[in-house]
């Protein structure tokens, strides 16, 4: 597989074309950002940790019957993925109240949410990814009703799989975001699943083991990501 030109550079990943029109290379950089890019730092080892963490999670999800774009690791910081036509709608599942949910509706952090909540947000950085509903998504052509139904079904299936997985490492899956795209007309999980895009707490102490350590200036960001992986039996190649 020949890596060719850069197609897109996001906040923490760069996307490259290949000699296969249906395949892309994701390069996980060491860039770390928060608050829509207002806070930005380079954290040593982060790209490699997130790339390999994501690979392990995507393989777990695929084994559970969830279609993903991930194909294989190419290097410590690179993965080969299917080229998706991305749906510009983020799916957010919450098991415990935290972050923007607390600010938005004035609830305290740490409340168990049963059943878990499911929310949609428009992928739009200039607008700060506003919350939307299914009606808006369909009316503006961002997704069809059938696609949204599949995205919700897959998002909640991910929740079932990963809540149990993280509990094996004595961790709580607080919340997370997912992005989906189309591959040959099928809704497929894209982007990444790493501590950059979810909240994970130690089950006993509720210590934060995710990107909130960066947002809140707690330090030890990459070390926390590595600990999460190690608790799940992962090893990292740098």
């Amino acid at each position: 597989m020949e890596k060719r030109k850069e197609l897109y550079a996001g906040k923490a990943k760069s996307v490259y074309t290949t000699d296969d029109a249906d395949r892309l290379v994701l390069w996980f950089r060491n860039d770390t950002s928060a608050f829509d890019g207002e806070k930005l730092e380079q954290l040593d080892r982060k790209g490699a940790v997130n790339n390999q963490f994501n690979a392990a999670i995507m393989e777990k999800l695929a084994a559970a019957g969830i279609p993903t774009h991930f194909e294989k690791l190419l290097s410590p910081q690179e993965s080969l993925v299917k080229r998706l036509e991305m749906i510009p709608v983020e799916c957010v599942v919450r098991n415990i109240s935290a972050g923007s949910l607390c600010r938005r509706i004035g609830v305290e952090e740490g409340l168990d949410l049963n059943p878990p909540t499911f929310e949609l947000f428009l992928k739009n950085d200039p607008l700060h990814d506003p919350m939307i509903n299914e009606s808006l998504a369909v009316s503006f052509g961002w997704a069809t009703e059938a696609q949204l139904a599949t995205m919700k079904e897959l998002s909640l299936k991910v929740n079932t799989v990963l809540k149990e997985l993280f509990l094996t490492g004595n961790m709580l899956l607080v919340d997370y975001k997912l992005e989906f795209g189309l591959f040959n007309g099928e809704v497929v999980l894209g982007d990444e699943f790493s501590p950059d895009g979810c909240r994970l707490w130690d089950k006993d102490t509720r210590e934060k083991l995710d990107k909130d350590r960066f947002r809140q200036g707690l330090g030890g960001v990459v070390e926390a990501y590595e600990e999460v992986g190690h608790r799940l039996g992962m090893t990292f190649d740098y």
Side-chain angles (χ1 to χ4, degrees):
M1 186 66 61
E2 179 187 341
K3 176 180 164 184
R4 293 187 174 174
K5 68 177 182 178
E6 182 178 270
L7 182 66
Y8 172 76
K11 293 177 183 138
K13 296 189 295 296
S14 296
V15 182
Y16 292 85
T17 61
T18 70
D19 54 351
D20 182 340
D22 288 330
R23 301 295 183 275
L24 298 170
V25 171
L26 295 188
W27 176 40
F28 287 69
R29 307 192 311 270
N30 288 333
D31 295 329
T32 308
S33 67
F35 314 120
D36 293 321
E38 292 180 13
K39 183 177 183 180
L40 178 64
E41 290 181 22
Q42 288 265 319
L43 298 178
D44 188 45
R45 307 189 311 280
K46 176 179 173 281
V49 171
N50 274 2
N51 180 41
Q52 294 165 68
F53 187 100
N54 174 66
I57 294 296
M58 289 288 179
E59 288 173 349
K60 289 279 188 186
L61 295 177
I66 296 164
T68 84
H69 71 154
F70 176 79
E71 299 218 325
K72 64 179 180 179
L73 285 172
L74 297 175
S75 73
Q77 288 184 241
E78 294 176 308
S79 287
L80 182 69
V81 299
K82 299 178 182 72
R83 183 171 188 162
L84 306 184
E85 178 189 345
M86 295 305 294
I87 297 170
V89 175
E90 287 183 350
C91 298
V92 174
V93 176
R94 304 178 192 271
N95 295 303
I96 299 172
S97 61
S100 64
L101 178 67
C102 298
R103 296 190 298 272
R104 193 168 71 234
I105 61 175
V107 298
E108 63 183 282
E109 181 180 86
L111 300 177
D112 289 335
L113 304 174
N114 188 24
T117 65
F118 177 78
E119 300 167 324
L120 301 176
F121 296 84
L122 179 65
K123 280 285 294 178
N124 188 310
D125 285 343
L127 296 179
H128 308 292
D129 296 344
M131 189 176 182
I132 60 171
N133 59 29
E134 293 181 9
S135 178
L136 288 170
V138 173
S139 292
F140 283 100
W142 299 321
T144 67
E145 289 184 2
Q147 289 165 355
L148 291 167
T150 300
M151 290 160 63
K152 181 175 183 179
E153 178 185 353
L154 292 176
S155 295
L156 295 176
K157 187 171 182 179
V158 166
N159 200 40
T160 299
V161 174
L162 294 188
K163 275 180 66 177
E164 182 177 337
L165 175 66
F166 287 116
L167 277 174
T168 66
N170 203 44
M171 293 175 286
L172 299 172
L173 179 57
V174 176
D175 58 34
Y176 58 90
K177 72 176 183 67
L178 299 177
E179 295 183 30
F180 294 89
L182 302 177
F183 187 75
N184 295 329
E186 180 187 13
V187 175
V188 171
L189 178 61
D191 195 43
E192 67 176 285
F193 194 104
S194 76
D196 264 7
C198 68
R199 285 187 173 87
L200 294 163
W201 294 349
D202 180 88
K203 184 174 182 291
D204 297 327
T205 66
R206 299 217 161 186
E207 178 188 7
K208 295 177 170 65
L209 301 171
D210 53 70
K211 196 176 177 180
D212 273 350
R213 300 197 66 84
F214 179 71
R215 295 185 187 99
Q216 299 174 15
L218 301 176
V221 178
V222 177
E223 291 81 2
Y225 290 16
E226 289 169 323
E227 180 182 341
V228 171
H230 293 155
R231 289 191 189 194
L232 299 180
M234 300 178 193
T235 58
F236 299 105
D237 179 12
Y238 305 108

